[in-house]
Amino acid sequence: MRAMRVRPVIVCAFVLVIGAPAAAQAATPGACEQITAACEAAGFVRGGAGAGNGLLIDCIEPIMQRAAQPRRASQALPQVSPEVLAACGAQNPEFGQAQASPPRAGAQKALAKQPPPASAAQALSTPESTAIGGRPNIVFVLTDDLAWNLVQYMPHVLAMQKAGVTFGNYFVTDSLCCPSRSSIFTGRYPHDTGVFRNTGKDGGYLVFRDRGHESATFATWLSAAGYRTAMLGKYLNGYLPAKHPPAPGWTSWAVAGNGYPEFNYNLNQDGRVVRYGDKPADYLTDVLSGLAVRFIKQAAGSPFMIEIATFAPHAPYTPAPRDAGALPGQRAPRTPAFDVAPDADAPKWLFAHPALSAADMDRIDTDFRKRAQSVLAVDRMIGELQAAVAAIGQENNTYFVFSSDNGYHMGEHRLMPGKMTAFDTDIRVPLIVTGPGVPAGVTIDEIAENVDLCPTFAELGGARIAANVDGRSLAPLLHGEPVAQWRTAALVEHRGPHDDPTDPDAPAVRSGNPTTYEALRAPTSLYVEYVDGEREYHDLIADPHELRNTFSSLTAEQKTSLRAKLEAVKNCHDAKSCQAAESSGVATRR
């Protein structure tokens, strides 16, 4: 595993401890004991982590990892020489990890290598670092604009599919960043969050915050239940690291604003703005990986939930410098929908698109190759997170969840790269889960949606689930338990067209910019109602690539049934009413 790329908040100059010559100290058998003694002399005590002067968490661990102290630390780190650090690491490679107890000053070298007795571990624990009933950990990796066609370039994700469960029919409430993420955090549809766009009066971070949603997320519930929580990477569109504070419910916070270029960005790290530049070590996905690994190791001994929300592979599709030459010659997939003219009954926003030119296809291929290159770092990060969890002995007690906030089309239906349509390229995204009790190599066909993640995380962590949550927990499906009356369709709610040039998701020319619509995605059909009165229906058995709008061929009974179903779901406002609306059937073709 490569070294963590963590930008320290506190920079320490390491010099000799106790004033002995460097060579003598490096040869001293009790180098780890010297570090312990130095921390104790500086005022750090066993069991003092809650007060910010804990011997292990606030002093020894940051010294050994050459990292910043936790923000709660109330004492300054003592100065320790690199020679002593190296000698201690050679004597005891596990020294300074949260699951290991530090040796008492003056203890013998052999004793320093022994695992701590239960009483010592208990003395070091605090309410925020004590495991509660062996509850599982959750590692949630949320990518930005990652479509299913990129998973093939991610070997760790492919391995997750073999080791766990894949949701084959998982959809987002809107193929747009902020509405989708708002649904993930709260478990509520856009018609209940009020977040329909990335900016403006009905979108963005400020709308989410001002409507009180930050106080009712899976983070606040898990935190109240005793979990340590971390939010790293992308939060919500409009969040400004230098202006806005960390959100409630998060123990640790490292969130960027404009992190799309992957370089030259600010991170709000627990309330302090840290600037990153353009060096390879500043590549954002790698920085997030380092911060996440550190959080996992510091959380050893307590249940934790961490969300790592990458900006990759969002435009401008910046790969890590090491991956810039990867996948030479890779082209975008030429599916049956690629560069296909809309049929005569296509909605107006789609109908007039011209055929793709050779230059269009070259651009699409270049962009696809860069997107594929950019997810290589995300996949590498997943491997590093898995290794970190294994290093603290929690590989069998940790759920790994991989997903995306929305999909992305690239040439399908003659559209230039973009999202926001109701086609599967945009609304159907990966959801892959491994963890305790999750069977290996299983694909689940039940309709799942991003409103389900919030109640799922809460149930897995034993936290309360608010009654106004629209989604339902996927935990029974994850564990192979029977579920009665599961939903028969996913609701998609989109407001458009979008015309704010400051929006990082502002549609480019010919990329698709639908007017407002609501849609139902059932296992074998897609039904869309546009605000201008147009209707769209695709029979996915006969038309899996959504090329022909056959709404006009439906019977009056079928049309009435679809409209009634959509009306019921888009007006549900809690788990009970949403489950009732979603599980009702619709008239089918005779």
Side-chain angles (χ1 to χ4, degrees):
M1 184 176 69
R2 66 169 171 75
M4 295 186 301
R5 296 179 176 179
V6 180
R7 184 182 291 267
V9 177
I10 300 175
V11 179
C12 300
F14 293 103
V15 297
L16 295 178
V17 177
I18 315 178
Q25 288 211 34
T28 300
C32 295
E33 291 88 334
Q34 291 183 48
I35 297 172
T36 300
C39 285
E40 289 177 337
F44 294 92
V45 297
R46 297 173 185 266
N53 62 347
L55 180 63
L56 176 61
I57 297 297
D58 298 319
C59 186
I60 293 176
E61 185 172 14
I63 285 178
M64 293 304 297
Q65 294 191 11
R66 283 73 160 177
Q69 291 176 285
R71 60 186 176 123
R72 64 174 178 271
S74 59
Q75 307 285 346
L77 290 177
Q79 296 178 331
V80 181
S81 73
E83 291 84 0
V84 170
L85 290 173
C88 175
Q91 294 166 12
N92 185 358
E94 295 184 356
F95 182 75
Q97 296 184 12
Q99 76 270 25
S101 175
R104 298 185 181 278
Q108 297 298 314
K109 173 182 175 182
L111 292 178
K113 292 186 178 182
Q114 294 179 357
S119 58
Q122 291 166 1
L124 285 169
S125 66
T126 68
E128 70 173 352
S129 63
T130 301
I132 303 173
R135 287 182 293 170
N137 313 302
I138 303 168
V139 177
F140 177 34
V141 176
L142 180 66
T143 54
D144 195 346
D145 287 7
L146 185 143
W148 258 112
N149 56 26
L150 292 178
V151 170
Q152 61 185 308
Y153 305 104
M154 307 181 76
H156 287 100
V157 176
L158 295 174
M160 286 179 64
Q161 286 191 283
K162 293 180 179 179
V165 158
T166 299
F167 284 83
N169 286 307
Y170 174 74
F171 303 93
V172 296
T173 55
D174 186 8
S175 186
L176 186 60
C177 292
C178 203
S180 178
R181 291 165 189 267
S182 297
S183 290
I184 290 171
F185 283 128
T186 65
R188 308 184 75 192
Y189 287 118
H191 67 250
D192 280 332
T193 64
V195 180
F196 289 93
R197 304 175 191 259
N198 290 338
T199 61
K201 295 180 179 180
D202 60 354
Y205 161 74
L206 293 179
V207 171
F208 185 86
R209 183 199 67 185
D210 293 347
R211 290 176 68 93
H213 295 310
E214 285 192 313
S215 63
T217 67
F218 62 75
T220 60
W221 300 343
L222 288 171
S223 178
Y227 272 71
R228 297 186 74 240
T229 57
M231 176 69 223
L232 309 179
K234 180 175 178 178
Y235 182 45
L236 294 167
N237 297 78
Y239 179 86
L240 302 176
K243 182 177 181 180
H244 301 131
W250 299 100
T251 309
S252 183
W253 181 267
V255 168
N258 181 22
Y260 299 102
E262 299 282 349
F263 293 103
N264 298 308
Y265 56 89
N266 291 331
L267 278 183
N268 182 320
Q269 294 185 214
D270 295 324
R272 181 168 183 253
V273 177
V274 180
R275 178 69 178 173
Y276 291 79
D278 56 6
K279 295 182 174 59
D282 294 321
Y283 184 70
L284 180 53
T285 301
D286 292 346
V287 170
L288 298 179
S289 181
L291 293 171
V293 166
R294 179 167 178 249
F295 174 83
I296 289 170
K297 291 185 175 181
Q298 288 183 335
S302 67
F304 64 85
M305 191 282 169
I306 179 171
E307 176 177 336
I308 310 97
T310 68
F311 283 79
H314 193 288
Y317 326 116
T318 306
R322 62 179 174 271
D323 297 324
L327 306 173
Q330 184 63 55
R331 300 196 313 163
R334 267 46 172 182
T335 72
F338 189 86
D339 196 29
V340 171
D343 74 352
D345 294 319
K348 289 192 293 288
W349 69 266
L350 178 64
F351 184 75
H353 281 73
L356 299 174
S357 67
D360 292 334
M361 293 187 188
D362 286 344
R363 176 190 160 190
I364 288 171
D365 288 337
T366 297
D367 288 350
F368 182 84
R369 182 167 58 254
K370 291 171 66 178
R371 282 167 54 80
Q373 292 168 343
S374 72
V375 301
L376 299 178
V378 178
D379 189 72
R380 188 178 292 107
M381 177 186 73
I382 291 173
E384 291 164 357
L385 300 178
Q386 292 169 334
V389 168
I392 63 172
Q394 289 290 302
E395 63 270 32
N396 296 321
N397 191 40
T398 301
Y399 292 95
F400 272 81
V401 181
F402 174 80
S403 192
S404 177
D405 61 350
N406 49 255
Y408 208 66
H409 57 255
M410 303 193 76
E412 294 86 354
H413 308 281
R414 290 186 169 176
L415 295 174
M416 293 300 286
K419 48 193 172 187
M420 294 191 280
T421 80
F423 294 130
D424 269 12
T425 52
D426 298 3
I427 66 169
R428 180 178 171 269
V429 299
L431 178 62
I432 302 165
V433 184
T434 63
V438 177
V442 171
T443 296
I444 293 175
D445 292 326
E446 279 83 355
I447 297 283
E449 200 159 4
N450 57 353
V451 289
D452 299 331
L453 293 183
C454 174
T456 300
F457 295 154
E459 180 171 342
L460 293 177
R464 72 171 186 87
I465 302 174
N468 66 358
V469 166
D470 300 328
R472 61 191 300 184
S473 173
L474 301 174
L477 295 178
L478 284 174
H479 300 136
E481 301 171 7
V483 178
Q485 293 187 316
W486 195 258
R487 70 166 61 88
T488 58
L491 173 67
V492 183
E493 301 178 298
H494 179 77
R495 284 190 183 175
H498 287 245
D499 55 7
D500 183 353
T502 67
D503 184 348
D505 290 325
V509 176
R510 297 168 48 217
S511 68
N513 193 3
T515 188
T516 295
Y517 67 79
E518 285 94 23
L520 286 177
R521 176 50 164 89
T524 60
S525 67
L526 170 68
Y527 173 62
V528 188
E529 288 187 358
Y530 293 94
V531 71
D532 60 8
E534 289 192 285
R535 301 290 182 263
E536 189 173 4
Y537 183 86
H538 296 278
D539 179 343
L540 300 179
I541 300 299
D543 179 26
H545 296 281
E546 303 162 311
L547 302 178
R548 297 181 296 279
N549 179 14
T550 59
F551 177 76
S552 62
S553 69
L554 298 179
T555 67
E557 181 185 6
Q558 290 171 329
K559 293 177 181 178
T560 299
S561 180
L562 285 166
R563 290 168 182 164
K565 169 92 170 182
L566 180 55
E567 191 70 18
V569 181
K570 74 180 187 180
N571 286 296
C572 72
H573 298 291
D574 54 40
K576 183 177 180 180
S577 63
C578 290
Q579 289 177 25
E582 293 166 346
S583 60
S584 64
V586 297
T588 57
R589 192 186 302 272
R590 292 190 178 93

